[in-house]
Amino acid sequence: MQHLKLRRAVIATAQRMNGLGINQGTSGNVSARAGNGILITPSGVPYESLKPADLVEMTFDGNWRCAVAARRPSSEWRIHLDVLRARPEFGALVHVHPIHATALACQRRGIPAFHYMVAVAGGNSIRCAPYATFGTAKLSRGALKALEGRTACLLANHGIVAGGDGLNSALALAVEVETLAAQYCQALQLGRPKILAEAEMKRVLSKFKAGYGYGSGPGKAPKAPASTRRSRRR
């Protein structure tokens, strides 16, 4: 069987989504780039019972196959296929239905820059894509639009889509978005949150891109600002 390690990682990610409380039952789905296509979780199969052979292989032209005859690709395969086709920097995509982000999506509200960590999704807001019936090309087009310049978005009356260079980063981003959604919902109960200025969000985004905060990782030292580097040479 091809991509056995990746298949196991996709299954583990799906199981972690539910374990982390950002998804329920089989409502979400996971995909990962594999060769000239993707691997995606099958439709309607409980994550705890998934085996590597249950995952569906799809090519970017929409053809699919699975070693288990009864399996079909997730009903949201269009979003996964279209996003991973359009965004080569993504190695994986997760789609989940967490409580707070879905509540905002049901109000057709995105998440503005009430907190600097909104920049974790790549911009000064996390957009909400327009509503469309699940599994449709219209929903996929809306998600692609909402993801322009972003790595995550909400789907109206639906949930979250989050992408990353791999499964771990895509899942981590989905958790961050749900955390922000929960904080935003709480802030709204106290009144109208103060929104950070665009200039401040640009500074935050530049720090993230330089490797500070969320952008840092093991063995990855962020670059010192140019002014600091100059002072060290004196």
Side-chain angles (χ1 to χ4, degrees):
M1 182 185 299
Q2 286 188 314
H3 312 295
L4 182 57
K5 183 177 179 180
L6 182 60
R7 288 170 183 269
R8 288 172 173 160
V10 169
I11 293 170
T13 300
Q15 293 171 345
R16 285 180 65 202
M17 293 189 321
N18 285 18
L20 290 166
I22 62 169
N23 196 63
Q24 310 80 36
T26 61
S27 59
N29 25 79
V30 184
S31 68
R33 194 180 298 276
N36 295 319
I38 69 171
L39 288 172
I40 189 168
T41 49
S43 179
V45 181
Y47 297 145
E48 62 270 18
S49 66
L50 281 177
K51 301 292 189 295
D54 290 317
L55 297 189
V56 179
E57 302 173 56
M58 296 196 74
T59 58
F60 283 113
D61 58 8
N63 291 317
W64 62 273
R65 65 179 182 178
C66 183
V68 180
R71 302 293 182 243
R72 295 176 291 110
S74 164
S75 60
E76 298 296 1
W77 64 265
R78 289 181 186 275
I79 288 181
H80 291 266
L81 208 62
D82 290 350
V83 172
L84 289 175
R85 183 194 295 115
R87 300 289 294 271
E89 74 273 26
F90 288 168
L93 200 73
V94 300
H95 168 51
V96 289
H97 296 180
I99 301 297
H100 298 91
T102 302
L104 289 174
C106 288
Q107 295 287 344
R108 305 194 179 183
R109 305 175 71 150
I111 305 176
F114 80 103
H115 190 292
Y116 77 87
M117 278 297 289
V118 166
V120 75
N124 62 2
S125 67
I126 299 172
R127 304 185 188 109
C128 183
Y131 178 77
T133 305
F134 75 92
T136 61
K138 185 177 180 181
L139 177 61
S140 183
R141 288 194 298 270
L144 281 169
K145 181 70 175 175
L147 284 169
E148 288 180 1
R150 304 287 191 273
T151 52
C153 72
L154 309 188
L155 303 175
N157 304 87
H158 196 151
I160 290 176
V161 171
D165 60 1
L167 289 160
N168 287 339
S169 59
L171 180 59
L173 180 56
V175 171
E176 290 283 355
V177 173
E178 169 59 5
T179 300
L180 287 162
Q183 293 168 344
Y184 186 47
C185 287
Q186 291 280 359
L188 286 169
Q189 293 182 41
L190 300 174
R192 187 176 180 180
K194 304 296 184 183
I195 304 302
L196 295 172
E198 186 174 348
E200 173 58 17
M201 290 302 289
K202 285 182 178 178
R203 284 190 286 269
V204 172
L205 284 161
S206 68
K207 289 176 74 70
F208 277 19
K209 289 175 182 176
Y212 288 89
Y214 185 87
S216 63
K220 181 180 178 182
K223 295 179 180 178
S227 59
T228 304
R229 293 199 299 270
R230 285 196 296 270
S231 67
R232 287 174 181 168
R233 289 196 292 265
R234 291 173 184 167

Short mmCIF file of all heavy atoms in Angstrom, two decimals, residues 69 91-92 141 152 163 170 190:
data_model
loop_
_atom_site.label_atom_id
_atom_site.label_comp_id
_atom_site.label_asym_id
_atom_site.label_seq_id
_atom_site.Cartn_x
_atom_site.Cartn_y
_atom_site.Cartn_z
N ALA A 69 -13.99 -1.30 -0.98
CA ALA A 69 -14.99 -1.00 -2.01
C ALA A 69 -16.14 -0.13 -1.52
O ALA A 69 -16.68 0.67 -2.27
CB ALA A 69 -15.54 -2.31 -2.57
N GLY A 91 0.29 21.50 2.51
CA GLY A 91 0.48 20.07 2.40
C GLY A 91 -0.70 19.30 2.97
O GLY A 91 -0.80 18.09 2.75
N ALA A 92 -1.56 20.01 3.70
CA ALA A 92 -2.70 19.35 4.35
C ALA A 92 -3.80 20.37 4.62
O ALA A 92 -3.55 21.58 4.69
CB ALA A 92 -2.26 18.69 5.65
N ARG A 141 -15.79 27.35 -4.07
CA ARG A 141 -15.38 28.65 -4.62
C ARG A 141 -15.39 29.73 -3.54
O ARG A 141 -14.49 30.58 -3.48
CB ARG A 141 -16.31 29.05 -5.77
CG ARG A 141 -16.12 28.24 -7.04
CD ARG A 141 -16.81 28.90 -8.22
NE ARG A 141 -18.26 29.00 -8.04
CZ ARG A 141 -19.13 28.08 -8.42
NH1 ARG A 141 -18.69 26.96 -9.02
NH2 ARG A 141 -20.43 28.25 -8.23
N ALA A 152 -6.67 30.21 6.86
CA ALA A 152 -7.88 29.64 7.47
C ALA A 152 -9.05 30.58 7.21
O ALA A 152 -8.87 31.78 7.00
CB ALA A 152 -7.69 29.44 8.98
N GLY A 163 -5.49 25.33 6.62
CA GLY A 163 -4.44 24.65 5.87
C GLY A 163 -3.09 24.87 6.50
O GLY A 163 -2.89 25.82 7.28
N ALA A 170 -1.69 22.30 10.14
CA ALA A 170 -3.09 22.56 9.79
C ALA A 170 -4.00 22.36 10.99
O ALA A 170 -4.89 23.18 11.26
CB ALA A 170 -3.52 21.64 8.64
N LEU A 190 -19.09 41.42 26.63
CA LEU A 190 -18.73 42.56 27.48
C LEU A 190 -18.94 43.90 26.78
O LEU A 190 -18.76 44.96 27.37
CB LEU A 190 -17.26 42.44 27.92
CG LEU A 190 -16.91 41.18 28.71
CD1 LEU A 190 -15.42 41.11 28.95
CD2 LEU A 190 -17.67 41.16 30.03
#
